[in-house]
Amino acid sequence: MSDQTHAAGTYSGAEEQTSLGFKLRALFLKHEWLRGYLLLSPTLLVMICLMCVPLFMLIAYSFWTQNYLDIDKTFTLANYEAYFQKPIYAALMFKSIRMSLYCTFATLVLAYPMAYFIAFKVKKNKLIWLILITVPFWTSYLLRVFAWKVILGFNGVINSGLISLGILNEPLEFLLYNPTAVVLTLAHAWAAFAILPIYVSLEKIDRSLLEAATDLGDTPRERFWRVTWPLSLPGVIAAGLLVFIPTVGDYVTPKLVGGTTGIMIGNIVQSQFGKANNWPMGAALSVISMLMITILVVTFIAATTRARAKN
Amino acid sequence: MTDNATKAASDERGAQAPQVVESKHEGHSWTGEAPLFIYAVWYLAFLYIPVLFLPLFSFNDSIYVAFPLKGFTLQWYADMLENPALLQALENSVKVGAAVAIASTFLGIFAAKAMTRYRLPGKGPLTSFIMLPLVVPGIILGIALLVISNTVGVDLSLYTIALAHTLVAVPFAMLVLMSRLEGFDKSLEEASLDLGESAFQTFLRVTLPLAWPGILASVLLTFTISFDEFILAFFLAGNEVTLPIYIWSQLRFPNRLPMVLSLGACILVASFFIVTFSEVMRRRGVGTQSGSAI
């Protein structure tokens, strides 16, 4: 009923058009899902044009080669062969994945108690806590990373602060430009992404289950591991994926705080599109990264669902 | 800094004392309120304090970002206002952000209405599909869009940046508006239709007025996303740059650091207020409306 005038107004021209209009109108009136899809179509169109088509183009590029000025569009696996021939690529890929995993783990461990606190312990002003957690997430990523460079630097906040307090005599060199700095900065930058999914899954837990566990004699600790933790796992997994997937490809953080030892695969991809100017190689590297991430994520999800099915 | 945090912790613990007692009755004592509360305050400090060093040092009268603080100055803010390249970048960012906010909120309204008001086959997969830009690493989206612009022959400009930002802003707009549309009673729209209003009039006179806090929140959030976004803009910028790219280009020059700090401080403060306002709009609106719309 909602689209009556919609169709009638549009088709009032030639007779053939009118009959087509009536047919269309009848079709849309009959099927609710058609009207829904009509409303959804602009968004889907944008997604297809700006995401799917470009990603397919990226895959196509990975099978081409770079001449000095233009792209040679004959199909070749040369870029993928290069990946396997130069061990640096694979080494960097695994290093990026490892650093991302550390970062994801750190983020989750830090975030879980916070989410637990908001879900179970905050009775009043839950809204304020949620907003406090969310707001930093919306502020500039670049500036948050830059802040860590300022803090950890050789003459940065920590070093100069400790020296002026008389605790240190000379600056600590190990703070900035290493993998640990990257992991720390990423864990800070992605914190809010982890808290919210965990919070949602904790909030959804039926409180009567907790009461039942207590009534049946569980200590609070047992109750947490037997009821709360398993029920919050979907949120933890979602949070883990939300942090892990984007951080593997990050290049801003390694570039600003990683130094030479903190470099990640994203930096190499970026340089292929910049100084190195080998777009097809960059495309191949990013396709391989996406594949690796997808394989890891799918195996992980399959493993967890199987484990949960067993229990 | 830490003193403040612990002081705040002890203050608030005092205020929450009755709840501690209450939770002991429920058998929470092993992780009583106090330890978790202290942890939460530390966590907030971890979230906020690193970022607060930018405003702090932006008033420091030295080109080195180091303790001890030298003295108070507004010099770096004055430098900022006299820098034409920076002001141009600011103008560009505002233009792109405004376009992205309008476009993504429009798309978000349609998508949210379709998702919440129609029985759609395949709604789950479709929602995941629209959420995909949130999960795909920014660098991949960036180079994919760079590659396609190159293939199609589109010159890089503020338009390409705006298109890329729209792609990542749409999922957020849709999420915000979906929770808003779910928050008020569907029967209000049905009543309007039954009373003879057309679908368009119903949308204009019933749906929009009820959804406007969500729309405002969506406009503000998507504007901020675009305004602060760096990775996509980095790959898709032509000759005209946005503010984050300008900042990135200045990081190479140590003597420009104080000005970057003051600029960063301004951006952080502006983002903070815009986002807090829109979050309050969004969350409070949903809560009260679902209660009072019946």
Side-chain angles (χ1 to χ4, degrees):
Chain A
M1 67 188 145
S2 60
D3 283 24
Q4 279 168 359
T5 47
H6 195 82
T10 329
Y11 299 96
S12 52
E15 251 177 49
E16 287 155 84
Q17 268 191 334
T18 315
S19 69
L20 183 71
F22 273 121
K23 273 182 196 163
L24 264 177
R25 188 181 135 190
L27 200 66
F28 273 99
L29 283 177
K30 203 168 144 196
H31 301 292
E32 187 185 327
W33 61 271
L34 264 180
R35 297 199 299 273
Y37 275 128
L38 187 69
L39 266 177
L40 204 54
S41 55
T43 311
L44 289 179
L45 196 68
V46 165
M47 290 290 154
I48 290 167
C49 291
L50 294 180
M51 187 173 63
C52 300
V53 176
L55 285 179
F56 279 117
M57 203 62 219
L58 187 68
I59 296 171
Y61 250 77
S62 72
F63 294 111
W64 296 340
T65 35
Q66 179 91 34
N67 287 336
Y68 282 104
L69 287 172
D70 56 345
I71 304 285
D72 179 1
K73 292 188 180 175
T74 39
F75 178 90
T76 166
L77 288 173
N79 298 316
Y80 291 93
E81 281 163 16
Y83 174 84
F84 289 105
Q85 275 160 8
K86 290 187 190 162
I88 172 123
Y89 290 131
L92 261 180
M93 182 76 74
F94 284 111
K95 191 175 130 199
S96 307
I97 289 173
R98 206 173 58 234
M99 281 166 72
S100 241
L101 285 175
Y102 285 145
C103 158
T104 309
F105 182 74
T107 314
L108 291 180
V109 170
L110 288 173
Y112 196 94
M114 187 70 194
Y116 186 89
F117 171 75
I118 303 179
F120 288 109
K121 305 293 178 183
V122 177
K123 303 285 190 315
K124 287 176 286 180
N125 303 329
K126 222 170 235 196
L127 187 72
I128 292 177
W129 279 96
L130 280 178
I131 290 176
L132 276 175
I133 293 296
T134 336
V135 163
F137 164 68
W138 297 105
T139 57
S140 169
Y141 181 64
L142 181 62
L143 288 174
R144 275 178 288 156
V145 176
F146 174 62
W148 281 101
K149 187 184 164 82
V150 167
I151 292 170
L152 300 173
F154 188 73
N155 288 313
V157 171
I158 292 183
N159 276 330
S160 64
L162 291 178
I163 288 171
S164 66
L165 287 175
I167 297 172
L168 281 182
N169 288 323
E170 50 193 66
L172 303 169
E173 283 182 38
F174 61 83
L175 293 175
L176 193 61
Y177 300 132
N178 58 54
T180 317
V182 177
V183 172
L184 175 67
T185 307
L186 284 175
H188 177 257
W190 291 91
F193 241 131
I195 291 180
L196 290 178
I198 301 176
Y199 164 75
V200 170
S201 68
L202 284 170
E203 187 68 50
K204 272 197 288 194
I205 293 177
D206 188 349
R207 303 303 146 109
S208 58
L209 290 174
L210 300 177
E211 284 167 28
T214 316
D215 291 347
L216 292 171
D218 264 4
T219 65
R221 197 181 294 268
E222 284 170 340
R223 190 185 63 180
F224 174 79
W225 288 113
R226 283 162 40 145
V227 182
T228 316
W229 170 250
L231 286 175
S232 67
L233 262 186
V236 176
I237 292 170
L241 296 181
L242 274 177
V243 176
F244 174 71
I245 300 174
T247 47
V248 176
D250 192 30
Y251 69 93
V252 177
T253 307
K255 181 114 184 176
L256 284 182
V257 302
T260 44
T261 55
I263 254 182
M264 287 168 77
I265 192 77
N267 300 88
I268 303 295
V269 172
Q270 189 241 312
S271 75
Q272 300 296 336
F273 284 86
K275 273 181 221 149
N277 195 26
N278 186 349
W279 288 22
M281 189 63 216
L285 285 175
S286 48
V287 169
I288 294 170
S289 314
M290 278 194 290
L291 275 179
M292 297 282 270
I293 294 173
T294 315
I295 292 170
L296 272 175
V297 167
V298 169
T299 357
F300 178 69
I301 291 178
T304 44
T305 32
R306 188 180 293 172
R308 293 177 77 211
K310 264 186 190 169
N311 291 337
Chain B
M1 222 55 76
T2 26
D3 282 350
N4 280 342
T6 38
K7 191 164 159 268
S10 58
D11 285 354
E12 296 252 347
R13 239 187 312 160
Q16 296 217 341
Q19 286 178 17
V20 178
V21 178
E22 186 191 305
S23 72
K24 268 184 184 155
H25 281 297
E26 292 168 11
H28 285 272
S29 51
W30 73 283
T31 52
E33 215 107 318
L36 264 184
F37 182 77
I38 294 169
Y39 178 80
V41 172
W42 275 100
Y43 194 93
L44 280 187
F46 169 67
L47 273 190
Y48 281 87
I49 288 173
V51 172
L52 290 180
F53 281 114
L54 300 186
L56 176 70
F57 281 100
S58 71
F59 294 111
N60 187 26
D61 194 5
S62 159
I63 65 159
Y64 302 108
V65 182
F67 284 114
L69 296 170
K70 289 286 189 292
F72 181 85
T73 179
L74 289 173
Q75 173 70 39
W76 315 124
Y77 286 88
D79 284 0
M80 221 170 74
L81 293 176
E82 283 163 12
N83 186 330
L86 185 153
L87 295 176
Q88 183 59 49
L90 172 67
E91 191 191 320
N92 293 344
S93 274
V94 171
K95 275 192 220 161
V96 171
V100 170
I102 294 168
S104 58
T105 304
F106 250 100
L107 292 171
I109 294 175
F110 289 137
K113 180 145 166 80
M115 290 293 188
T116 52
R117 294 291 185 267
Y118 294 88
R119 262 171 292 138
L120 289 182
K123 190 185 277 183
L126 276 176
T127 313
S128 318
F129 175 65
I130 296 180
M131 295 297 153
L132 219 49
L134 300 187
V135 192
V136 180
I139 187 171
I140 303 247
L141 285 180
I143 57 175
L145 283 162
L146 173 64
V147 158
I148 198 84
S149 323
N150 194 45
T151 320
V152 179
V154 178
D155 287 332
L156 298 180
S157 65
L158 293 180
Y159 290 101
T160 44
I161 299 179
L163 282 175
H165 285 178
T166 306
L167 176 69
V168 290
V170 163
F172 288 109
M174 188 178 86
L175 276 183
V176 169
L177 289 158
M178 268 172 75
S179 67
R180 181 73 206 177
L181 289 183
E182 274 160 3
F184 68 83
D185 199 337
K186 206 175 166 177
S187 57
L188 289 171
E189 288 169 333
E190 287 166 1
S192 158
L193 289 167
D194 290 349
L195 292 170
E197 288 277 33
S198 68
F200 182 66
Q201 285 288 331
T202 301
F203 184 71
L204 218 60
R205 294 176 54 175
V206 180
T207 315
L208 277 187
L210 283 171
W212 81 266
I215 293 172
L216 187 60
S218 161
V219 166
L220 293 174
L221 276 186
T222 47
F223 177 84
T224 320
I225 291 171
S226 163
F227 194 80
D228 285 338
E229 206 286 333
F230 169 69
I231 294 176
L232 291 170
F234 176 78
F235 285 105
L236 296 168
N239 295 324
E240 296 171 289
V241 300
T242 58
L243 216 43
I245 303 175
Y246 176 77
I247 293 177
W248 178 262
S249 70
Q250 299 303 303
L251 292 181
R252 271 176 296 160
F253 309 110
N255 60 338
R256 303 268 177 85
L257 198 60
M259 194 191 69
V260 172
L261 289 175
S262 55
L263 176 58
C266 291
I267 295 175
L268 286 175
V269 170
S271 309
F272 183 85
F273 281 111
I274 294 177
V275 171
T276 309
F277 179 69
S278 75
E279 285 282 303
V280 170
M281 277 313 266
R282 171 161 83 100
R283 295 181 190 268
R284 183 185 278 167
V286 170
T288 53
Q289 207 59 45
S290 55
S292 63
I294 302 161

